[in-house]
Amino acid sequence: MDISFIDKRLEGIYSKVLNNSRLSKEDGIYIYETHDLIGLGQVANHVRRSLHGNKAFYIYNQHLNYTNVCKNRCRFCAYARDRKEKGAYTWSIEEIEKRLLDRIDEPVNELHIVGGLNEDLSFDYFIDLLKTVKKVRPNATIKAFTSVEIDYLSKLAGLSIEQTIQQLKHAGLEMMPGGGAEILNSRIHKELFPRKIGHERWLEIVKAVHKAGIKTNATMLYGHIETIEERVDHLITLRQLQDETNGFSAFIPLAFHSENTKLAHIPPTTAVDDLKNVAAARLMLDNFDHIKAYWVMIGEKLAQVALSFGADDLDGTIIEERITHMAGAKSAVGLTKEQMEDMITKAGFEPVERDSFYHPIKELKDQNG
Ligand code: V47
Ligand code: SF4
């Protein structure tokens, strides 16, 4: 494909892409610095189309955020509360069961389960939670807990990380979402989330999870105090780990929302930056199959555009999103299957409903009769 670049430096990046050469840190920084957004989008779109053609994936999923009580109180988080604070909540196992049953007539394929670090909950609660979800929804995949929760649960249970993962796997855990990575960098860790595990521990846990045969996603929270170089280092760190384990499924750039946080003075991310983050991910993460445009964070309209800037997946229906909406997100709290398909079709792509492992649902249904 011929691309007429306004920024000639993108030609070098494009020829590396065409030769399947890995992009360097300097290339990554340049991707963020260029003003040739359309040229950049075309390069990322070339990679996206060579991997997935005209397909754009989505999943019928349901989020369950079992508690917002969290002892970490990260400075960028609007969701967490202290135990006795107004608005604090923790769902009992019965409440979780009720929320699943409320939606039992819907074809939910994946349960995305994450929460705060609530010191009132025992390890048994988490085992019961997984078993209950599996009992009520035996055919849906449980994608639950970030490395932050796994680290906490291992301490709670007095078990090694490996033993903790085995117990959770035995109770029904099948996949892990990508949260908790933020920016893998000790300066940002110290400034924004000092009580949460740092990047070395995050990577160590993800490695153990991959070794146990569980796929995970990876994220990057951008648009706060991080530098371009720190973003690129984050992507390169993930790329290195993926070379080692091949355990990552998708990467999701997360646009920071500052409302109701200790960083409320930080303005929202721009559309240009949101699209550059999608394109940078697609181009730098040459060993990741999927890049998600998370419509909750960047809005439905920009998510449609992101499909032509490197993203091949819009995540899911979600049903009820809490974490970003507490921080001022203006997107819907959930979308119907028809709305997801409409968004994708009107962006010029072919919608493919998938399961957690990117198997198309239609083909699965055809195989099972
Ligand atoms: O870990 C917290 C981030 C994450 C804010 O793996 C914030 O499929 C923006 O990880 N503004 C949770 N972001 C969301 C997440 C996720 C979402 C969708 C799909 C998947 C997946 C994973 O949200 C947290 C944190 O990094 N976050 N506060 C905020 N104010
Ligand atoms: Fe707790 Fe996660 Fe919020 Fe940090 S981002 S305060 S770990 S819920």
Side-chain angles (χ1 to χ4, degrees):
M1 186 177 68
D2 274 347
I3 303 176
S4 55
F5 292 105
I6 296 171
D7 178 352
K8 297 294 173 209
R9 261 189 77 177
L10 285 177
E11 277 171 6
I13 291 180
Y14 188 41
S15 64
K16 275 193 177 178
V17 166
L18 292 176
N19 291 325
N20 289 323
S21 308
R22 183 157 268 192
L23 300 187
S24 65
K25 177 168 171 173
E26 290 65 37
D27 294 329
I29 291 174
Y30 201 70
I31 286 170
Y32 281 107
E33 282 177 358
T34 185
H35 293 302
D36 186 358
L37 184 66
I38 300 301
L40 174 65
Q42 284 180 285
V43 180
N45 193 34
H46 171 84
V47 177
R48 179 248 186 269
R49 283 188 181 271
S50 63
L51 290 169
H52 306 291
N54 207 38
K55 293 189 172 114
F57 299 96
Y58 76 96
I59 189 163
Y60 206 121
N61 65 350
Q62 179 175 5
H63 279 202
L64 294 170
N65 299 129
Y66 55 91
T67 183
N68 66 350
V69 175
C70 187
K71 71 187 181 83
N72 277 353
R73 302 312 301 265
C74 307
R75 294 187 69 212
F76 58 78
C77 179
Y79 169 71
R81 296 285 179 277
D82 289 335
R83 251 190 193 124
K84 297 255 155 56
E85 202 177 331
K86 196 164 162 252
Y89 74 88
T90 301
W91 293 341
S92 64
I93 299 296
E94 293 70 34
E95 172 76 21
I96 289 167
E97 189 163 4
K98 184 182 166 302
R99 282 175 184 266
L100 290 169
L101 289 170
D102 283 347
R103 300 279 179 171
I104 203 69
D105 293 334
E106 295 179 39
V108 171
N109 253 300
E110 176 184 274
L111 282 317
H112 177 139
I113 308 171
V114 288
L117 306 187
N118 179 346
E119 290 166 301
D120 293 333
L121 298 174
S122 67
F123 188 63
D124 286 346
Y125 169 91
F126 294 90
I127 298 294
D128 279 358
L129 185 159
L130 292 170
K131 287 187 173 162
T132 303
V133 174
K134 213 60 214 161
K135 180 188 78 186
V136 180
R137 278 278 186 196
N139 298 323
T141 301
I142 302 184
K143 182 180 83 181
F145 312 135
T146 64
S147 294
V148 180
E149 286 158 292
I150 300 290
D151 173 74
Y152 179 68
L153 292 181
S154 83
K155 293 196 177 100
L156 199 62
L159 297 172
S160 68
I161 290 294
E162 286 75 15
Q163 290 165 328
T164 308
I165 297 165
Q166 284 312 325
Q167 296 239 1
L168 297 171
K169 197 175 166 181
H170 187 69
L173 180 72
E174 292 160 284
M175 196 183 163
M176 268 172 55
E182 322 314 356
I183 293 277
L184 299 165
N185 170 287
S186 41
R187 179 186 80 88
I188 308 275
H189 178 235
K190 225 188 278 166
E191 290 268 327
L192 295 191
F193 49 100
R195 290 194 219 152
K196 184 145 87 181
I197 57 168
H199 76 278
E200 275 153 13
R201 183 71 171 154
W202 190 91
L203 292 166
E204 191 183 320
I205 293 172
V206 169
K207 215 188 262 190
V209 171
H210 290 174
K211 209 167 159 202
I214 294 182
K215 288 265 182 191
T216 76
N217 290 335
T219 56
M220 174 171 77
L221 181 68
Y222 66 90
H224 41 88
I225 61 161
E226 84 289 357
T227 63
I228 299 289
E229 187 180 0
E230 286 162 346
R231 289 181 187 178
V232 176
D233 284 340
H234 178 100
L235 296 175
I236 290 175
T237 303
L238 292 175
R239 185 170 78 181
Q240 275 164 352
L241 183 55
Q242 179 73 331
D243 276 344
E244 215 178 306
T245 66
N246 199 29
F248 288 119
S249 176
F251 174 81
I252 310 120
L254 301 173
F256 177 53
H257 285 59
S258 69
E259 224 175 285
N260 303 320
T261 74
K262 294 207 169 71
L263 305 169
H265 58 283
I266 295 182
T269 59
T270 63
V272 171
D273 202 23
D274 292 334
L275 292 175
K276 279 186 179 174
N277 272 285
V278 172
R282 184 58 287 160
L283 294 173
M284 294 302 291
L285 299 176
D286 52 21
N287 50 7
F288 276 62
D289 288 339
H290 301 284
I291 305 296
K292 284 192 198 181
Y294 189 37
W295 60 264
V296 168
M297 300 236 173
I298 59 173
E300 295 90 318
K301 291 185 180 185
L302 197 60
Q304 281 182 300
V305 181
L307 290 176
S308 295
F309 276 75
D312 60 279
D313 187 332
L314 288 188
D315 196 68
T317 52
I318 299 180
I319 300 179
E320 197 193 356
E321 203 283 334
R322 289 167 172 261
I323 299 173
T324 327
H325 284 84
M326 294 296 291
K330 301 289 180 284
S331 51
V333 291
L335 292 175
T336 63
K337 181 176 154 66
E338 290 69 32
Q339 284 171 316
M340 297 284 319
E341 297 212 343
D342 202 42
M343 264 164 76
I344 293 172
T345 310
K346 289 189 174 146
F349 291 86
E350 177 200 341
V352 178
E353 186 184 352
R354 61 167 178 92
D355 70 4
S356 302
F357 308 101
Y358 287 86
H359 303 120
I361 294 296
K362 191 172 170 306
E363 282 172 24
L364 288 176
K365 272 192 200 142
D366 291 348
Q367 274 165 24
N368 300 331

